[in-house]
Amino acid sequence: MNAKKIKPRRSVSKRQAKKVIVGIGASAGGRTEEALRKSEELFRSITSNTPDHILVQDLELRYLLVVNSQLGLTEKDMIGKTDHDILTKDDADAITKIKRRVIETATPAHLEAPFIDREGNQQLFEGSYIPKHDAQGRVDGLIGYFRNVTQQKRAEEALRQTKDYLDKLIQYANAPIIVWDPKMRITRFNGGFEKLTGWKENEILGEHLSRLFPDESRDTSMEKIGRSHKGEHWEYVEIPILCKDGGVKLALWNSANVYDEDGATLLATIAQGMDITERKRAEEEIQRHAEELRKSNEELERFNRAMVDRELRMIELKKQVNELYAKLGEPPRYETDFEEKK
């Protein structure tokens, strides 16, 4: 069998090679540009739906890219400009110093910073600046990711002020107020409750609620509280409270459950009480006196009835004596006509 001849490849001229290389380069360049275009479109699509403010700046801190511009500025207002062109001098000086440090040290910086918008209002931002590197790994600018947290911070401040107000309201209220969690652990114990029981807040916080009830009524009290956890609302209920000195005071309570946003998860129970120990004693004393008076009245009525019966019997007896005298032809012995004589 004759071996097949292998034809040598035709040599390629330099001119032809150049055409091929240029063609390949153009093709690769086209693919690269297309990939970059698609990447930019994807980036724009993602960032246009984010609440974050994203920026890119060069070494001169000129804005190259802005997403979700803030402070009443537009992208057009910012591109190609520096912070000194668009911010107040104080804000620009402060933020430029931070950005320079990020570029010079190649170290990210996380910060929360206030800025003045076009209408003169302060806006709060929270985020980070990170160094941007070129293909050789050299720092050639920075990237910033920030979120406007003005409303969040205002809400947090309002919540803090409300919490402080409620804390002071509870702590300094004259009425005894106590708060416990779903595990019956005491979490708040105000001054009114300290005065009622003699316990200090730091002595009772974290303790089980049952510690506050005397042995003879503890089970009944805990049963009532268990029902309140299941949604039963206390308008007014009397519960004996065990004091630090071993004494017992009677308190009139109402309570309310605090639920999570789902309206079902119990977070805590808050109860407000009124010391009715002295009032109860006064009521019992009044009842005792009323009972004594009732008995005295009954005795007096029995005495009056007895006296009236005796008098009636005496009158009847006198009439009988007078009748006997009349039969004997003698005048009556006793006066029995009690009507007023005309």
Side-chain angles (χ1 to χ4, degrees), residues 7 52 123 172 181 183 218 226 253 291 296 314 340:
K7 294 181 180 181
D52 293 332
Q123 302 286 323
Y172 297 110
D181 64 19
K183 294 183 179 180
R218 181 174 294 125
W253 291 97
E291 181 63 19
S296 296
M314 290 297 294
E340 183 179 354

Side-chain angles (χ1 to χ4, degrees), residues 4 17 23 85 93 121 144 154 157 218 230 296 325 328 333:
K4 291 183 179 181
D85 297 320
D93 288 345
N121 300 314
R154 287 175 181 169
E157 177 61 17
R218 181 174 294 125
K230 295 177 182 178
S296 296
Y325 273 95
L328 296 174
R333 179 71 177 272

Side-chain angles (χ1 to χ4, degrees), residues 292-340:
E292 290 178 354
L293 182 60
R294 184 188 63 80
K295 291 180 179 180
S296 296
N297 286 338
E298 288 179 352
E299 290 293 330
L300 182 59
E301 287 176 1
R302 284 196 296 269
F303 176 76
N304 287 337
R305 284 196 299 269
M307 293 300 294
V308 170
D309 289 345
R310 177 179 176 277
E311 188 64 26
L312 291 175
R313 287 196 299 270
M314 290 297 294
I315 293 173
E316 184 63 28
L317 182 60
K318 288 178 179 181
K319 285 181 178 181
Q320 292 175 2
V321 171
N322 287 343
E323 289 175 358
L324 291 174
Y325 273 95
K327 288 179 181 181
L328 296 174
E330 295 184 8
R333 179 71 177 272
Y334 298 104
E335 179 71 36
T336 59
D337 185 4
F338 298 101
E339 293 183 359
E340 183 179 354

Side-chain angles (χ1 to χ4, degrees), residues 73-106:
L73 298 166
T74 66
E75 183 178 357
K76 184 178 179 180
D77 293 329
M78 300 176 69
I79 295 298
K81 298 178 182 178
T82 69
D83 291 314
H84 283 92
D85 297 320
I86 58 177
L87 300 178
T88 64
K89 183 179 184 305
D90 290 343
D91 285 351
D93 288 345
I95 203 65
T96 297
K97 183 177 180 180
I98 295 172
K99 290 177 178 179
R100 286 293 180 198
R101 187 164 61 247
V102 171
I103 291 174
E104 292 169 2
T105 64

Side-chain angles (χ1 to χ4, degrees), residues 110-115 122-127 146-162:
H110 180 80
L111 68 151
E112 181 178 301
F115 294 98
Q122 186 182 78
Q123 302 286 323
L124 296 174
F125 293 85
E126 187 177 85
F146 279 83
R147 177 165 295 185
N148 190 325
V149 294
T150 306
Q151 296 303 320
Q152 175 188 334
K153 293 298 181 181
R154 287 175 181 169
E156 289 175 355
E157 177 61 17
L159 182 62
R160 185 194 65 78
Q161 291 180 0
T162 301

Side-chain angles (χ1 to χ4, degrees), residues 238-253:
E238 293 181 4
I239 294 184
I241 302 296
L242 179 64
C243 299
K244 185 175 182 179
D245 62 6
V248 175
K249 291 185 178 179
L250 189 63
L252 190 64
W253 291 97

Side-chain angles (χ1 to χ4, degrees), residues 67-255:
V67 176
N68 292 333
S69 54
Q70 302 286 316
L71 303 176
L73 298 166
T74 66
E75 183 178 357
K76 184 178 179 180
D77 293 329
M78 300 176 69
I79 295 298
K81 298 178 182 178
T82 69
D83 291 314
H84 283 92
D85 297 320
I86 58 177
L87 300 178
T88 64
K89 183 179 184 305
D90 290 343
D91 285 351
D93 288 345
I95 203 65
T96 297
K97 183 177 180 180
I98 295 172
K99 290 177 178 179
R100 286 293 180 198
R101 187 164 61 247
V102 171
I103 291 174
E104 292 169 2
T105 64
T107 303
H110 180 80
L111 68 151
E112 181 178 301
F115 294 98
I116 304 300
D117 64 19
R118 285 290 178 92
E119 296 179 355
N121 300 314
Q122 186 182 78
Q123 302 286 323
L124 296 174
F125 293 85
E126 187 177 85
S128 300
Y129 292 119
I130 62 173
K132 184 174 79 69
H133 299 84
D134 61 16
Q136 286 72 43
R138 295 171 299 194
V139 175
D140 65 350
L142 61 76
I143 302 172
Y145 303 87
F146 279 83
R147 177 165 295 185
N148 190 325
V149 294
T150 306
Q151 296 303 320
Q152 175 188 334
K153 293 298 181 181
R154 287 175 181 169
E156 289 175 355
E157 177 61 17
L159 182 62
R160 185 194 65 78
Q161 291 180 0
T162 301
K163 182 178 181 300
D164 288 346
Y165 170 77
L166 291 176
D167 284 345
K168 290 177 181 177
L169 183 65
I170 290 174
Q171 184 59 34
Y172 297 110
N174 290 326
I177 298 176
I178 186 172
V179 181
W180 61 86
D181 64 19
K183 294 183 179 180
M184 306 286 190
R185 300 293 176 183
I186 300 169
T187 58
R188 293 298 304 269
F189 193 84
N190 80 332
F193 222 114
E194 290 181 338
K195 184 178 180 181
L196 174 69
T197 63
W199 294 103
K200 294 298 182 182
E201 185 180 40
N202 61 355
E203 296 175 311
I204 212 74
L205 287 184
E207 295 291 328
H208 197 270
L209 190 62
S210 60
R211 180 175 178 180
L212 294 177
F213 307 130
D215 293 340
E216 58 273 15
S217 60
R218 181 174 294 125
D219 291 343
T220 301
S221 297
M222 292 305 297
E223 181 183 353
K224 291 177 180 178
I225 291 168
R227 292 201 303 269
S228 75
H229 277 201
K230 295 177 182 178
E232 180 179 304
H233 176 67
W234 293 353
E235 285 295 341
Y236 290 104
V237 60
E238 293 181 4
I239 294 184
I241 302 296
L242 179 64
C243 299
K244 185 175 182 179
D245 62 6
V248 175
K249 291 185 178 179
L250 189 63
L252 190 64
W253 291 97
N254 58 20
S255 73

